[in-house]
Amino acid sequence: MNEIILQAPLSALLLNHLDPREIQGLEVQSPGSHSLMTVLSEHLHLFTPLAGSRLVGALVERLPMVRGSVTLEDPCYLVVQRCAEAWEDFLLKIFLHFRGKELLELKRLVDAAGGGRDLRNTVYTVITHEARRAALLKHFEEEAERLEDFPLHILADIDQTVFVGTFGAGGPKFPTGPVPGALALFRALGGRVTFLSARPPIWEGQTRRLLDEIGIAEAVVLPGSLKAIAQVLYAPEQAKVAMAERKTEVFGQFATLHPEAQFIFIGDSGEGDIDFAEEFMAASRTRNLRRPPRAALIHDVARADGIVPKSNAARRNELRMRGIHVFDTYAGAALELFMLGLLDGEGLRQSAHGCLEEFGEIDVVEFASNEVFETRRMELLRDVREVNAAMRSAEQWRLRSGSAAGACVREVWRRNFGDHGNENEQDREGGVAKSDAEPDPQSRFFYVTACLNLVLSLLRLPTI
């Protein structure tokens, strides 16, 4: 059945191309279409998340077309709506059937559909009945509470954050193209990527082509509004506020769809992202304590000369107090995430290395001036030095708390029980290897006490 679902022309089978004016009585579905829905509803337990996503995709494609096929004044309006209600109920049943990691996979597959067919559009546009939407969101929340792991979602702006192009505000910090190190950090983090862009929906096709070109094949795009873009021309400050409000609204819906997620937001200091980041972090302080904390990072754009950063030291310290970390290079961003415990040492190394490589691939003449290039080079070298220092400190701590502690434990064992770790001699009387002999209770007591004192000393606490 899964194979059939994956290969069948579902949109044509589920909701037939019927002319509502030819419908007689209350049965709007053809016998074949009605029977198919009944069979599928009874066998949902057989379907994989991939097959479930195909069913969802077909319903999301066809339901709006069915609802819009007749006007409110048409005599067949109520009949057509009853058909749509039946299929909307089936759409809800598909989601309610999946649980745990299978539900996460189904949501990921639906989100990857794009083109107005993602999960946010499905829940907040295609499902029109408030009670069904509430039941679905409750299901997402209940399943999230049962999870032990919190999947990572990278929430990022596009322009001046990941890519430098014609959109976005800021001086000529980098040449046109990907910002060095952004994609390397995304790969090191390994989470799902969702772009929270100021670009309006009419540019989604162009946006996805851009993402494909820079190597991001699967990502959710949460668009902005055309009104906010138009405001940039005559009221730039109001436009920034409108962009931030739009991002907050869209993300609010997206967060309800993924209550299990841990979010890292990466934006820039050009247009409204700091305002959004403040709302984003403020909301995290009122969240369920069982959920992991959020993180917000802001790529600082340059002023008109391309040299001076937009945010001075005082502004950066002010934002840091609110949980928002401003960075100049993605090596610096990786270091911030490493210090927050959201990126491991290997991820930090890969991110810094990727940032260096990508910066090195840009020809000097592509920068706005030699001064701009030299400024970026010095920023990168500074952040790489800080990365190296952090990695050395982490390695020294690992040696002190890991290998050194292990050596101390072995020394405690040797003093209490003798150095029998490599001996294979058998005790002549009992025939048992000395290393396997059971220590007497008094020796065991002294060993446990010594180990406990070792741990306390490493933690700089009073020993016993």
Side-chain angles (χ1 to χ4, degrees):
M1 288 191 68
N2 281 281
E3 195 64 28
I4 291 173
I5 292 299
L6 294 177
Q7 297 187 21
L10 290 177
S11 60
L13 292 173
L14 291 178
L15 294 165
N16 300 41
H17 295 273
L18 299 175
D19 184 349
R21 293 165 183 77
E22 297 177 359
I23 298 170
Q24 301 296 325
L26 296 178
E27 186 54 68
V28 68
Q29 302 171 95
S30 69
S33 179
H34 181 72
S35 299
L36 179 60
M37 183 181 72
T38 303
V39 170
L40 293 174
S41 298
E42 293 174 351
H43 294 84
L44 284 175
H45 63 282
L46 298 176
F47 295 137
T48 63
L50 181 58
S53 70
R54 281 277 287 129
L55 288 169
V56 170
L59 291 167
V60 169
E61 179 185 351
R62 295 288 294 138
L63 269 170
M65 297 171 64
V66 170
R67 289 197 179 100
S69 61
V70 292
T71 62
L72 183 61
E73 295 78 15
D74 197 295
C76 298
Y77 178 80
L78 292 178
V79 179
V80 172
Q81 294 308 310
R82 285 188 60 177
C83 170
E85 288 289 318
W87 285 104
E88 185 178 305
D89 190 57
F90 178 51
L91 178 60
L92 174 64
K93 288 179 181 178
I94 296 172
F95 280 104
L96 295 181
H97 165 72
F98 289 95
R99 298 181 178 276
K101 292 185 177 180
E102 286 195 338
L103 177 61
L104 295 184
E105 178 65 7
L106 175 64
K107 292 197 292 184
R108 184 190 71 81
L109 291 167
V110 173
D111 255 342
R117 301 177 187 176
D118 56 19
L119 188 61
R120 189 178 72 90
N121 182 69
T122 300
V123 175
Y124 285 98
T125 303
V126 177
I127 294 179
T128 58
H129 198 278
E130 290 291 340
R132 291 193 185 97
R133 183 181 300 125
L136 183 53
L137 295 177
K138 182 181 178 182
H139 178 61
F140 290 166
E141 184 71 33
E142 290 174 346
E143 290 304 306
E145 292 294 334
R146 295 188 176 96
L147 293 173
E148 296 297 329
D149 299 322
F150 302 100
L152 177 65
H153 282 237
I154 305 166
L155 192 69
D157 184 46
I158 297 176
D159 301 297
Q160 305 298 329
T161 301
V162 175
F163 188 85
V164 177
T166 56
F167 296 99
K173 182 173 182 177
F174 289 106
T176 299
V179 177
L183 301 183
L185 179 58
F186 289 179
R187 288 192 294 269
L189 287 169
R192 289 180 53 190
V193 180
T194 299
F195 287 105
L196 189 60
S197 175
R199 298 183 177 199
I202 59 173
W203 285 329
E204 184 174 346
Q206 179 186 356
T207 301
R208 289 197 173 277
R209 286 191 296 272
L210 169 65
L211 296 177
D212 287 340
E213 289 174 4
I214 64 177
I216 301 177
E218 183 179 307
V220 181
V221 178
L222 303 177
S225 66
L226 186 59
K227 178 181 177 182
I229 294 294
Q231 277 186 302
V232 173
L233 300 175
Y234 60 89
E237 291 304 318
Q238 290 87 334
K240 291 181 181 179
V241 174
M243 289 178 188
E245 290 176 348
R246 171 64 178 174
K247 288 185 176 183
T248 301
E249 176 190 355
V250 172
F251 172 71
Q253 293 180 342
F254 186 76
T256 62
L257 305 176
H258 303 280
E260 72 286 344
Q262 178 176 19
F263 289 105
I264 295 176
F265 172 66
I266 304 176
D268 65 81
S269 57
E271 293 178 339
D273 285 351
I274 291 180
D275 293 337
F276 169 78
E278 290 178 339
E279 294 284 343
F280 174 81
M281 294 304 296
S284 72
R285 291 189 281 272
T286 61
R287 298 177 75 233
N288 188 331
L289 293 178
R290 182 178 177 271
R291 304 291 169 79
R294 295 174 176 177
L297 293 91
I298 296 293
H299 177 227
D300 204 17
V301 301
R303 297 189 183 276
D305 59 2
I307 298 174
V308 179
K310 182 177 180 180
S311 306
N312 57 29
R315 176 59 169 161
R316 294 186 183 205
N317 289 333
E318 176 191 348
L319 291 172
R320 182 176 287 273
M321 295 296 292
R322 302 177 192 173
I324 302 169
H325 304 270
V326 180
F327 65 92
D328 295 305
T329 76
Y330 270 92
L335 180 58
E336 294 284 2
L337 292 173
F338 175 76
M339 301 302 290
L340 292 171
L342 299 174
L343 187 66
D344 60 18
E346 179 60 21
L348 176 60
R349 186 195 66 78
Q350 291 177 2
S351 298
H353 183 70
C355 192
L356 278 168
E357 279 195 335
E358 292 175 23
F359 182 82
E361 291 171 358
I362 305 175
D363 197 318
V364 178
V365 298
E366 295 182 41
F367 285 85
S369 67
N370 288 334
E371 290 80 8
V372 172
F373 166 77
E374 188 62 23
T375 302
R376 300 291 88 78
R377 188 179 73 86
M378 295 305 294
E379 288 172 347
L380 181 55
L381 291 178
R382 177 203 65 201
D383 287 350
V384 168
R385 281 196 297 268
E386 292 181 1
V387 166
N388 289 333
M391 294 186 69
R392 281 195 299 270
S393 297
E395 179 64 17
Q396 290 170 1
W397 169 252
R398 186 189 69 80
L399 292 174
R400 285 198 301 268
S401 61
S403 301
C408 293
V409 169
R410 288 192 293 273
E411 177 61 18
V412 170
W413 179 273
R414 189 192 65 77
R415 285 201 303 264
N416 282 277
F417 305 123
D419 192 6
H420 304 303
N422 296 321
E423 292 182 8
N424 294 316
E425 294 181 4
Q426 300 290 317
D427 181 77
R428 292 183 182 275
E429 296 181 359
V432 179
K434 293 181 180 179
S435 59
D436 294 332
E438 179 71 14
D440 62 270
Q442 186 178 10
S443 298
R444 185 189 297 114
F445 170 79
F446 285 117
Y447 170 70
V448 172
T449 303
C451 288
L452 183 57
N453 281 331
L454 170 65
V455 173
L456 292 174
S457 66
L458 290 173
L459 296 175
R460 302 184 184 277
L461 297 174
T463 57
I464 59 175

